[in-house]
Amino acid sequence: ATAGETVYIFADSYDAEETGDMVVAAWVRTISGEGEACDPDFIESRCEDGAYCDDDNTCTMGTAPVLTELAGYIVSDDGDSMRILATGSDVDGDVTALAVSLLDDAGSIIDIEGTTEFLWAPANDVTDLTEFVAHTTASGLSSVPNAVGLQVALVDAIGLRSDSLTTDIVPLPRPAVGEACDMEELFNRCAVGA
């Protein structure tokens, strides 16, 4: 809101049986620019878009993460679960999500009941890491039979995004007996009986 603009605040009780007066606290919050003091609790002030309140309570411009490599694997025998591996870096060490869209065989984004992008938190904690492989596993792929690829971007704590990469969704590689395999089964899974 800006000066002179009317703002309406609606308040309601959680319990329908509760009635009576309510007290609502409201105030104007300052938007601090780069290099200016900020409130780390975001009560008195917040930083301008694209900036964050650093450890010295000063607004610092954030840096978008960088996505350098992407892989999408079918990891269940029924084809319902997939794993996404996103290799990247982030100077600020504050990546919080993978922005994921499913692609059809023409490379078009698939609309799933009005949603074209999903924000999924990495299964592994990449907080404070400047280089990482973020991964997440999701099920329900079999309900979107025309999904053959992924478009993914990294998203940080203040909403800055990497450029997107795309990849095909392929079966998780299965090294043969005697070949090296990934003990965590992120990048491959030993062949049955190996």
Side-chain angles (χ1 to χ4, degrees):
T2 57
E5 184 179 347
T6 302
V7 176
Y8 296 94
I9 299 173
F10 297 91
D12 194 3
S13 66
Y14 179 76
D15 183 352
E17 301 296 317
E18 287 186 30
T19 60
D21 295 336
M22 294 182 170
V23 176
V24 176
W27 58 91
V28 175
R29 186 169 61 164
T30 303
I31 298 176
S32 301
E34 183 178 10
E36 296 178 343
C38 54
D39 177 3
D41 297 320
F42 309 109
I43 296 170
E44 298 298 324
S45 68
R46 72 166 180 84
C47 294
E48 66 182 308
D49 289 344
Y52 63 96
C53 194
D54 68 17
D55 293 338
D56 297 324
N57 297 341
T58 303
C59 288
T60 302
M61 292 308 291
T63 304
V66 176
L67 179 59
T68 55
E69 191 175 340
L70 177 65
Y73 295 123
I74 298 169
V75 294
S76 61
D77 291 334
D78 63 3
D80 191 57
S81 295
M82 70 173 163
R83 176 169 303 120
I84 301 168
L85 299 166
T87 304
S89 61
D90 185 39
V91 172
D92 302 326
D94 64 345
V95 166
T96 58
L98 305 176
V100 179
S101 296
L102 297 175
L103 304 176
D104 63 19
D105 60 0
S108 299
I109 294 175
I110 299 171
D111 184 312
I112 302 170
E113 298 180 7
T115 302
T116 57
E117 182 179 83
F118 301 88
L119 289 178
W120 291 332
N124 56 323
D125 185 7
V126 297
T127 307
D128 297 327
L129 298 179
T130 56
E131 294 184 0
F132 51 82
V133 177
H135 63 86
T136 189
T137 301
S139 59
L141 188 60
S142 60
S143 67
V144 191
N146 59 330
V148 297
L150 298 168
Q151 175 177 291
V152 176
L154 298 171
V155 182
D156 72 12
I158 59 173
L160 298 176
R161 291 172 165 249
S162 69
D163 289 336
S164 297
L165 292 180
T166 60
T167 190
D168 292 334
I169 304 170
V170 297
L172 187 66
R174 293 193 178 243
V177 174
E179 294 181 338
C181 60
D182 176 11
M183 296 300 291
E184 293 182 63
E185 297 188 350
L186 294 175
F187 299 93
N188 60 50
R189 178 182 299 147
C190 289
V192 176

